[in-house]
Amino acid sequence: MRKVILSICVVLLSLCLIACDTNETNESKQIYQHEVEVQKRDSTQQTAATIDLSLRVGNKTFSAKLYDNQTTHALVDNFPITVDMSELNGNEKYYYLSNTLPTASEQPGEIHAGDIMLYGDDCLVVFYETFSSTYKYTRLGYVEDATGFAQAVGDGNITVTFDLVK
């Protein structure tokens, strides 16, 4: 009987230690969660080919990837461009292009910080927060350092330069 009680105590103690792991900080959990979101987002893309892009906000430059599709090809024909992007909803920056682009709209459900999308056929949007949405967008690409990008853009209007990496 003593061995049974001791075995139960060892099992319960092991479960408590697993549940109370304090070695992970909130920051490492957030980094891991972001990496999982990026991997999940990337795995949903139909094409693995990407186009290297740079986004400059103030004196900071961010690397981004554009998906190799008809919409991005039409967009990069205008590069380099510098645009004044407006703030919307505390989670995105947007700019209405002077021309329309071909679309392949879909309802993504969850939008991730760093996503670059087209709303309608002429509204370029860069998201800096992760959230759920019922709106339809054409996926264009993503900023690789979404956390740094979110810190750089702040909560107001910004000027962003989009250019291909040479």
Side-chain angles (χ1 to χ4, degrees), residues 59-112:
N59 63 354
K60 295 187 182 217
T61 301
F62 298 91
S63 295
K65 300 286 186 185
L66 291 179
Y67 303 119
D68 190 1
N69 62 42
Q70 183 181 13
T71 308
T72 58
H73 284 265
L75 178 64
V76 300
D77 285 345
N78 300 301
F79 287 175
I81 59 170
T82 300
V83 297
D84 293 322
M85 300 191 83
S86 300
E87 166 65 32
L88 185 63
N89 299 326
N91 59 22
E92 66 187 79
K93 306 295 184 187
Y94 71 93
Y95 174 77
Y96 281 97
L97 301 164
S98 58
N99 57 323
T100 61
L101 301 176
T103 63
S105 296
E106 63 179 77
Q107 185 180 3
E110 186 167 63
I111 293 174
H112 300 279

Side-chain angles (χ1 to χ4, degrees), residues 26-141:
N26 282 339
E27 184 176 323
S28 65
K29 287 179 183 177
Q30 289 173 344
I31 291 170
Y32 173 75
Q33 181 180 2
H34 175 71
E35 289 172 355
V36 168
E37 289 172 357
V38 168
Q39 289 172 357
K40 185 172 30 170
R41 172 183 63 206
D42 292 347
S43 68
T44 64
Q45 297 308 310
Q46 294 180 358
T47 178
T50 58
I51 301 166
D52 292 330
L53 174 72
S54 72
L55 279 75
R56 192 175 70 240
V57 179
N59 63 354
K60 295 187 182 217
T61 301
F62 298 91
S63 295
K65 300 286 186 185
L66 291 179
Y67 303 119
D68 190 1
N69 62 42
Q70 183 181 13
T71 308
T72 58
H73 284 265
L75 178 64
V76 300
D77 285 345
N78 300 301
F79 287 175
I81 59 170
T82 300
V83 297
D84 293 322
M85 300 191 83
S86 300
E87 166 65 32
L88 185 63
N89 299 326
N91 59 22
E92 66 187 79
K93 306 295 184 187
Y94 71 93
Y95 174 77
Y96 281 97
L97 301 164
S98 58
N99 57 323
T100 61
L101 301 176
T103 63
S105 296
E106 63 179 77
Q107 185 180 3
E110 186 167 63
I111 293 174
H112 300 279
D115 280 347
I116 304 169
M117 297 194 190
L118 184 70
Y119 178 72
D121 61 3
D122 66 347
C123 187
L124 179 62
V125 184
V126 184
F127 295 93
Y128 61 91
E129 293 289 333
T130 298
F131 64 100
S132 295
S133 174
T134 58
Y135 291 100
K136 289 186 174 187
Y137 297 91
T138 299
R139 294 180 186 273
L140 301 177

